[in-house]
Every structure is written in C-alpha cells, then in structure tokens.
Amino acid sequence: DFFGLEAKSAIAFEDSPNRSKAARAAGMHTVIVPNELTQNLSFDDYSLRIHSMLEIEFERLLHILNASLSRNAASQSCYMTG
C-alpha cells in the first residue's frame, strides 16, 4: 500500500531466505538473487531464482512472471540457468 500497489503487483528481489519467505507470505512475486553468503541456503516458495541481476532483462522477467500467473503456477518456482 505504501506505493499504491497491491502485493500481487509487486516484485521483491531478495538474497535472504527469511526476507524471501516474508515477501511471498505478503503475496509478492519473489525473485531470489543469492549472494556469496546465501547461495547455498535453502530458499522455499519463490517465483524465480537468478544468479545475478545482470542475468535477465527486466522485460523478460515480467514476461516470465506473467506467464507463470497465466498458467496458475505462481506457487511453483522457476530457476534461471545462464
């Protein structure tokens, strides 16, 4: 509500499992971008996992998230490789 958006219209970029979990619980799309300390930790229930913010263009990210919603697979996780 702070930005005038519903949670389902927001995207959280997270590198922490706890913050990722909180974002998903709030109803946000969650893109996991682990750092050196969190890359080997278990992340549950996220929309997409990438290795770097440079890995994907924002427009492609939106396309992936929208496609996920249209398939009613928002609760399933995607993992980008290269």
Side-chain angles (χ1 to χ4, degrees):
D1 267 339
F2 182 78
F3 292 106
L5 296 173
E6 295 182 37
K8 66 182 180 181
S9 299
I11 304 170
F13 294 87
E14 296 295 349
D15 64 354
S16 158
N18 289 334
R19 289 193 305 255
S20 169
K21 189 175 188 178
R24 288 299 280 181
M28 294 182 208
H29 297 283
T30 307
V31 177
I32 304 304
V33 190
N35 62 43
E36 289 181 12
L37 298 175
T38 62
Q39 65 186 352
N40 295 319
L41 298 179
S42 177
F43 286 84
D44 298 322
D45 193 24
Y46 52 85
S47 305
L48 182 68
R49 181 179 179 132
I50 58 178
H51 297 287
S52 164
M53 295 292 283
L54 299 173
E55 183 175 342
I56 188 169
E57 292 181 10
F58 189 69
E59 291 80 14
R60 175 141 169 72
L61 172 75
L62 292 178
H63 176 75
I64 291 169
L65 295 177
N66 285 329
S68 175
L69 281 177
S70 68
R71 290 189 315 264
N72 289 327
S75 63
Q76 295 180 358
S77 301
C78 301
Y79 193 96
M80 291 289 295
T81 56

